[in-house]
Amino acid sequence: MPLNYAAYEKARNGAVLQMIEAITLGMPFEVWKTHMGRHRNQGTIESFKIIYNSNGGGFQGARAFWRGSAPKMVESATKGAVLMVSKEMIKDACLNAGVGPTITGFIAGAGGGVCQVSVMGPCTFLVTSMVTGDKSVTLGSRIKTTFAQHGVKGFYPGGVAIAFRQATNWASRQGFTDAVREIVKKVRYDDPATAKLKVEEEVASGVIGGALACWNMPFEVARIEAQARAATGQPAMSMFSIWKMIVKEHGFRGLYQGVIPRVGLGIWQTTFMVTGANLIREHVFNEKPKIGH
């Protein structure tokens, strides 16, 4: 298969998988997590109720969990395509070079995550501003105001935190998932090098990998705070300054505010973008599994 066509297929699959992930349970977890990261004095259930009641409850209340879906779909399509192409190519290159499967997973995930930052910064900022800012301001108005006041740079607040978050996000999700997959192969199969996991084993590996990857929540809390401050016109702060402020006000627990919905989001995203990628490669395109795939 020519490289350009293979890259196109990876980009297409990544965009579709990430959009499906986001429009289903991804957005509710994202909105819930972002709200808690900004309003750190609210508990998990309390914040859920506040979001639900912000639109008056009922069907409209449920719709509040999909607030910011338009920019999220653009973000999902672009970052999903970028992630799938870069991550899978780095993974193939590492495996072909003889790098171990677990280390390969961490390297490929980190590389793919960093590549995402260039395309997802503006969309992430707009989603955060829609969730934490004035709900009466339309998406179009936010875009016009931000560009008029700050130019293109205004759509990239919290860039350092985003970069660290994305690198550690996908390094951990891919790495931990691949590590669990290798353990399953060694425990349940006679020949781990050629073993093809069952669908339920792939999903279970993704669930564990996605949950373990949430250790990096402090980067996400810093990203939310930086973007929320920019959306409301507050002075910009560095990632480390934000951490100091949060620890001073809420203790170290504040750095993990919103971790419960983020665990749900991490599991959901990993199931699509790591497990889903493996299943497509092996069960749709019938690729022979390499060590670490």
Side-chain angles (χ1 to χ4, degrees), residues 104-180:
T104 290
F106 282 103
I107 294 173
V114 170
C115 289
Q116 284 185 318
V117 177
S118 60
V119 299
M120 67 180 295
C123 294
T124 302
F125 165 70
L126 291 172
V127 171
T128 300
S129 64
M130 293 291 287
V131 173
T132 64
D134 186 350
K135 306 300 186 295
S136 64
V137 180
T138 65
L139 176 62
S141 296
R142 289 185 188 279
I143 294 174
K144 291 179 181 178
T145 301
T146 301
F147 186 78
Q149 294 179 348
H150 307 288
V152 175
K153 184 181 178 181
F155 293 95
Y156 286 89
V160 173
I162 295 175
F164 276 103
R165 184 197 70 169
Q166 288 308 108
T168 53
N169 257 0
W170 291 108
S172 300
R173 289 171 180 173
Q174 184 74 51
F176 286 139
T177 299
D178 281 352
V180 174

Side-chain angles (χ1 to χ4, degrees), residues 236-248:
M237 297 175 65
S238 70
M239 183 173 68
F240 291 103
S241 296
I242 290 174
W243 282 346
K244 289 180 181 178
M245 177 191 71
I246 292 173
V247 171
K248 182 178 180 181

Side-chain angles (χ1 to χ4, degrees), residues 7 21 60 67 155 196 216 221 224:
E21 169 272 315
Q60 293 299 321
R67 186 176 287 131
F155 293 95
K196 180 182 288 189
N216 69 347
V221 171
I224 293 170

Side-chain angles (χ1 to χ4, degrees), residues 5 42 45 67 81 106 131 141 155 200-201 223 228 246 250 289:
Y5 186 70
Q42 297 177 9
I45 302 302
R67 186 176 287 131
F106 282 103
V131 173
S141 296
F155 293 95
E200 59 269 25
E201 293 171 335
R223 189 276 303 173
I246 292 173
H250 304 281

Side-chain angles (χ1 to χ4, degrees), residues 63 65 76 87 124 129 153 158 201 223 255 268 273 275:
R63 287 186 60 187
F65 288 94
S76 296
K87 177 173 70 70
T124 302
S129 64
K153 184 181 178 181
E201 293 171 335
R223 189 276 303 173
L255 297 177
W268 196 243
M273 304 309 294
T275 303

Side-chain angles (χ1 to χ4, degrees), residues 1 4-14 84-85 285 287:
M1 183 182 295
N4 60 346
Y5 186 70
Y8 163 76
E9 284 192 329
K10 290 185 175 72
R12 179 201 61 197
N13 294 340
M84 195 65 75
V85 172
F285 295 112
E287 294 186 17

